[in-house]
Amino acid sequence: VLDAVRVAGDSLATGSAEHVLVVSGDAHPSNDPDRARAAGFPYATMGAAMLLHRDPRDGTGFGRVCSSPVTDTAPLVEGYADGSRMGTGGRGTITVRRAPRTDAVLADLAAATVRACAEAQHTDPRTALLIASQPHPGFPAEVAARLGLPADAAATATGVDGDPHTSALTLAYHQAETAGRIGERPVVFVAAGAGPACSCAVYRPAAPTPR
């Protein structure tokens, strides 16, 4: 989603578009929720969308999207077709292996990326709401802890069956806004995944327009 926000920002800045709709979604390839659960498929079946437009007011909206360099040569997560176990269902089966250090590496990388992004955009993470993806369930709290923030300083999507994956940031923002957790304070979006790689962006909500 943050990569799409980066591309959207370029389109809006040049005037080639007045609005950009960023759409995300995930589902088991079979489109069968029962089969997905039986197979241990980790991602929630869901979609989300955010509508972006150019705001003429300075200091509002998304700042520059920051991305971390890929520093590890060995992938943290690998998926492959296991020929020795394919059997009759081999065409529909992928074996996935996660390195034991995956969770810690992603949390460390995300915290470092947030620090760099926040500093570059003159934002104090202590005054912001951290909205994080869910590469593993404890990820948001782990990133907050590495930044010296309490666990409740981070928000993520709730109430879904599985990892909302590409829709995590959009849904988490919607839920936080609905719950009144945002107001006028900055929001720091951070998403990390197997690469390892991470992207971060600071978003500053516009002040309500007086009626």
Side-chain angles (χ1 to χ4, degrees):
V1 163
L2 292 181
D3 286 337
V5 168
R6 179 191 289 114
V7 174
D10 292 340
S11 297
L12 294 170
T14 60
S16 61
E18 294 184 6
H19 297 83
V20 178
L21 187 66
V22 176
V23 181
S24 57
D26 297 280
H28 190 272
S30 68
N31 288 323
D32 183 344
D34 293 333
R35 181 175 175 184
R37 281 190 290 270
F41 188 69
Y43 303 115
T45 300
M46 65 170 301
M50 63 169 72
L51 181 65
L52 306 179
H53 69 96
R54 184 175 181 179
D55 193 322
R57 293 170 288 184
D58 291 334
T60 62
F62 279 102
R64 182 174 63 89
V65 177
C66 306
S67 295
S68 66
V70 177
T71 55
D72 253 345
T73 55
L76 294 176
V77 181
E78 296 178 294
Y80 59 93
D82 189 343
S84 65
R85 301 176 59 187
M86 287 177 66
T88 57
R91 291 177 181 270
T93 303
I94 294 177
T95 298
V96 178
R97 286 182 177 173
R98 288 169 53 92
R101 59 197 178 92
T102 297
D103 293 353
V105 169
L106 291 182
D108 288 342
L109 182 62
T113 306
V114 168
R115 287 193 195 96
C117 185
E119 181 178 357
Q121 299 184 38
H122 310 291
T123 300
D124 185 346
R126 294 173 298 182
T127 67
L129 177 66
L130 184 69
I131 290 186
S133 62
Q134 291 183 41
H136 60 274
F139 178 76
E142 291 172 12
V143 176
R146 283 163 169 76
L147 294 169
L149 304 174
D152 61 3
T156 193
T158 61
V160 293
D161 183 14
D163 177 5
H165 200 41
T166 58
S167 299
L169 299 183
T170 307
L171 177 58
Y173 181 87
H174 172 71
Q175 291 178 338
E177 184 179 45
T178 301
R181 297 189 62 188
I182 295 177
E184 297 180 29
R185 64 172 166 165
V187 175
V188 177
F189 288 95
V190 60
C198 178
S199 290
C200 177
V202 175
Y203 174 80
R204 291 183 171 85
T209 303
R211 294 185 177 181

